[in-house]
Amino acid sequence: MSARAAGGGQPAAARLTAERRAQITEAAGELFGRRGYHAATMRDIALRVGVSPGLIYNYVEDKEELLLLVLDSLLDAYASSIPAALAGLRDPLARFAAAVDTYCRIVAERPEATLLAYQESRSLRRSLREHIKRREVETNALIADCISDGIAQGLFRPVDAELTAYRVVMMAHGWALKTWRLAGRMTIDDYIADSLEMLLGALLTPLGAQRRAEAAR
């Protein structure tokens, strides 16, 4: 069966290109995390994926673009998975818990990319750093909106929603930053449950605490 018969020549080619770029991005994230961004070479990444070192440049221009792709792929995961987790949930407490849970699990699944954001984002040229910053603000807003909804319904104290969202994000990143210690003490499920308990203890109003108790019955 021809590529066109299987679903159209150009779309099929575009899908194959996207799949290969995704494979290269995944391999780059692993090698950057294990060897360091500057130590890992394009040749290392090409060999890891199983393509010739010259062929890899058909998919990416250089190592800087690969770093951008790795960081963008992490932000893509937040941008797609958090709304999916919130779909169908109307209660602000359930939405906040789902957003925190989802963010933490993505960090746990992609610790190398999380660490790269801390260690190597400065290696990007300024325009690309600004792009990453804008996307970070956008994905953090998914959590901040849940907090704002809780405030509006009297379930959360009137805190600064964006600042609180950053505190949630830093807590989630703590798993990647200190996995060497935390993973030996607890599971990611335990870490999320303990973190949510602490966050909600600080955020809930008496009405919010009552609503949470009723939901737990």
Side-chain angles (χ1 to χ4, degrees):
M1 183 182 293
S2 69
R4 186 173 295 279
Q10 186 57 40
R15 282 196 300 273
L16 290 172
T17 297
E19 289 171 4
R20 180 62 81 183
R21 278 169 64 91
Q23 292 171 351
I24 292 170
T25 300
E26 182 178 355
E30 292 175 3
L31 289 174
F32 290 163
R34 183 147 41 89
R35 300 184 186 178
Y37 171 68
H38 297 286
T41 66
M42 293 292 277
R43 177 182 174 81
D44 295 332
I45 296 164
L47 294 177
R48 180 64 176 269
V49 178
V51 301
S52 69
L55 185 61
I56 197 172
Y57 291 99
N58 289 341
Y59 300 97
V60 293
E61 290 185 4
D62 52 29
K63 199 162 68 167
E64 183 186 44
E65 183 183 4
L66 265 179
L67 177 59
L68 177 66
L69 286 172
V70 170
L71 299 182
D72 254 340
S73 70
L74 180 63
L75 292 162
D76 287 341
Y78 299 140
S80 61
S81 297
I82 294 176
L86 299 182
L89 297 178
R90 301 185 64 181
D91 177 58
L93 300 184
R95 288 174 62 83
F96 176 72
V100 172
D101 182 272
T102 302
Y103 197 105
C104 287
R105 292 187 189 281
I106 292 170
V107 169
E109 291 167 3
R110 303 281 305 279
E112 297 90 355
T114 302
L115 290 175
L116 280 171
Y118 279 93
Q119 297 168 346
E120 299 297 349
S121 58
R122 66 184 181 278
S123 298
L124 296 170
R125 73 189 75 148
R126 182 173 181 177
S127 61
L128 300 183
R129 290 199 306 273
E130 293 303 317
H131 164 80
I132 293 298
K133 290 176 182 178
R134 284 193 300 272
R135 294 211 61 201
E136 178 184 299
V137 170
E138 291 168 1
T139 54
N140 285 5
L142 297 171
I143 299 173
D145 288 345
C146 294
I147 297 168
S148 295
D149 288 345
I151 295 169
Q153 295 196 33
L155 305 177
F156 289 163
R157 295 189 302 105
V159 296
D160 183 316
E162 182 180 9
L163 176 59
T164 304
Y166 265 103
R167 286 173 170 153
V168 171
V169 166
M170 295 300 293
M171 176 274 297
H173 289 173
W175 181 264
L177 291 166
K178 298 299 178 183
T179 298
W180 64 270
R181 177 62 175 167
L182 296 175
R185 298 195 61 221
M186 62 185 68
T187 66
I188 185 61
D189 293 335
D190 295 332
Y191 185 76
I192 293 170
D194 186 76
S195 298
L196 271 172
E197 194 66 31
M198 180 176 64
L199 290 166
L200 290 172
L203 286 172
L204 291 175
T205 62
L207 175 61
Q210 179 184 346
R211 179 79 62 84
R212 187 186 183 206
E214 291 171 353
R217 290 175 188 166

